[in-house]
């Protein structure tokens, strides 16, 4: 059973800071390129988070379009609503990916980044997504497969234990490998799949790598005991990464996978 992250107000602010790093901003630009939103379209952002992608979408669909952000975490919805307040064509609601409270065929397109890996019942979630899209509607889903991580460490066995603990916060840490077949069973046609790497060949304090390192550290401290990880071992892992950064030996890479499909 996964120990999901608690997306409270503090976590929402930390996630916003990570989403504003240059590498995640570049990822969002690629997502927009692939989805290709058009003026006048109605688009849903499932797992809207702090609303950064929804803000871009709202500007691209213009005054004649509509963007709806959905998130199960109220602090995220509050943050997104604040960001979108000046854009009347955008709104946000609290909701679940497996129970989308919208009419059939309500949207021209949907986007979801780093969300479905948290969803336990993917067949149900994709059936719901299929239902709310118009015939021919597009969906862009991007998620991480944590088997792709390459992360330098002075103690590879300890790194493996920490990452095994981290896997526990997801319903499926390896979702992309199964997503094509799941799409097909839900009635979608996959049109394109791309690798979107998050690469940090050197230490950069304002980056996804730095943000995820802090997030994993906090998660492991709260949940590591269930995996046999003590506080000293977790801190030793974190301190080792800082020492590697000081010596110019830091390296981190993990792959995200973007799937573009049509209904």
């Amino acid at each position: 059973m996964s120990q999901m992250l608690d997306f409270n107000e503090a976590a929402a602010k930390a996630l916003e800071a990570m989403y504003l790093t240059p590498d995640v901003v570049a990822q969002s630009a690629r997502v927009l390129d692939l989805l290709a939103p058009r003026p006048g379209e109605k688009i849903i952002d499932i797992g809207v988070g702090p609303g950064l992608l929804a803000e871009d979408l709202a500007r691209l669909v213009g005054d004649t379009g509509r963007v709806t952000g959905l998130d199960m975490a109220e602090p995220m919805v509050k943050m997104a609503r604040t960001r979108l307040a000046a854009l009347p064509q955008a709104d946000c609601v609290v909701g679940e990916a497996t129970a989308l409270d919208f009419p059939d065929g309500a949207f021209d397109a949907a986007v979801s980044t780093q969300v479905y890996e948290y969803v336990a019942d993917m067949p149900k979630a994709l059936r719901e997504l299929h239902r709310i899209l118009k015939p021919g509607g597009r969906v862009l889903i991007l998620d991480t497969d944590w088997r792709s991580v390459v992360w330098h460490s002075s103690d590879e066995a300890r790194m493996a234990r920490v990452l095994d603990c981290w896997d526990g916060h997801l319903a499926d840490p390896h979702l992309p490998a199964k997503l094509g077949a799941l799409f097909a069973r839900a009635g979608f046609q996959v049109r394109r799949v791309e690798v979107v790497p998050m690469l940090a060949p050197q230490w950069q304090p304002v980056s996804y790598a730095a943000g995820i390192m802090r997030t994993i550290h906090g998660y492991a401290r709260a949940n590591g005991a269930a995996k046999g990880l003590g506080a000293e071992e977790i801190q030793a892992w974190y301190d080792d990464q800082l020492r590697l950064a000081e010596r110019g030996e830091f390296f981190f890479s993990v792959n995200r996978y973007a799937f573009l499909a049509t209904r």
Side-chain angles (χ1 to χ4, degrees):
M1 180 178 179
S2 64
Q3 300 294 321
M4 298 296 186
L5 294 176
D6 180 13
F7 287 110
N8 54 28
E9 189 170 347
K13 289 180 179 178
L15 188 65
E16 179 185 43
M18 199 184 306
Y19 279 18
L20 286 167
T21 59
D23 43 6
V24 182
V25 169
Q27 170 195 283
S28 296
R30 187 61 193 138
V31 166
L32 290 171
D33 285 345
L34 288 167
L35 186 65
R38 297 185 284 269
E41 286 193 315
K42 294 180 180 179
I43 299 178
I44 183 169
D45 183 354
I46 298 173
V48 67
L52 291 158
L53 184 63
E55 182 179 22
D56 289 334
L57 288 168
R59 297 188 190 282
L60 290 167
V61 300
D63 296 340
T64 60
R66 189 76 183 165
V67 170
T68 300
L70 178 141
D71 208 291
M72 64 180 294
E74 290 189 14
M76 291 295 187
V77 171
K78 180 181 177 181
M79 181 176 286
R81 283 175 175 163
T82 299
R83 173 163 277 109
L84 299 169
L87 296 164
Q89 69 269 40
D91 66 337
C92 292
V93 297
V94 176
E96 300 269 354
T98 53
L100 299 173
D101 190 17
F102 304 100
D104 295 359
F107 297 97
D108 298 291
V111 64
S112 185
T113 61
Q114 299 299 116
V115 172
Y116 282 104
E117 58 199 44
Y118 291 94
V119 176
D121 193 344
M122 276 299 295
K124 183 177 181 182
L126 291 178
R127 286 197 302 271
E128 276 289 270
L129 186 57
H130 189 274
R131 180 184 64 78
I132 67 166
L133 284 175
K134 296 176 182 178
R138 313 181 308 287
V139 55
L140 192 288
I141 293 178
L142 180 142
D143 278 293
T144 302
D145 190 323
W146 280 94
R147 285 174 297 198
S148 68
V149 67
V150 178
W151 200 342
H152 181 48
S153 172
S154 299
D155 187 330
E156 296 297 337
R158 182 176 62 205
M159 174 65 82
R161 289 191 293 273
V162 170
L163 290 176
D164 180 61
C165 174
W166 175 241
D167 278 352
H169 88 289
L170 296 167
D172 188 348
H174 314 305
L175 175 62
K178 308 163 192 171
L179 194 50
L182 287 166
F183 262 135
R185 286 197 287 271
F188 289 95
Q189 290 185 300
V190 175
R191 301 298 185 182
R192 187 164 185 169
V193 181
E194 282 195 9
V195 178
V196 182
M198 304 301 291
L199 173 63
Q202 58 194 19
W203 175 252
Q204 167 51 258
V206 183
S207 66
Y208 172 77
I212 203 65
M213 192 174 91
R214 290 189 291 269
T215 302
I216 292 174
H217 181 231
Y219 178 84
R221 288 175 64 185
N223 299 280
K227 289 285 191 176
L229 282 173
E232 289 186 3
E233 184 175 19
I234 294 163
Q235 191 60 43
W237 168 81
Y238 188 77
D239 291 343
D240 176 55
Q241 290 302 306
L242 295 179
R243 284 192 295 270
L244 289 171
E246 288 175 355
R247 298 200 299 263
E249 298 175 10
F250 182 86
F251 185 95
F252 170 90
S253 177
V254 71
N255 287 341
R256 291 172 170 176
Y257 299 85
F259 286 72
L260 178 66
T262 54
R263 182 190 187 282

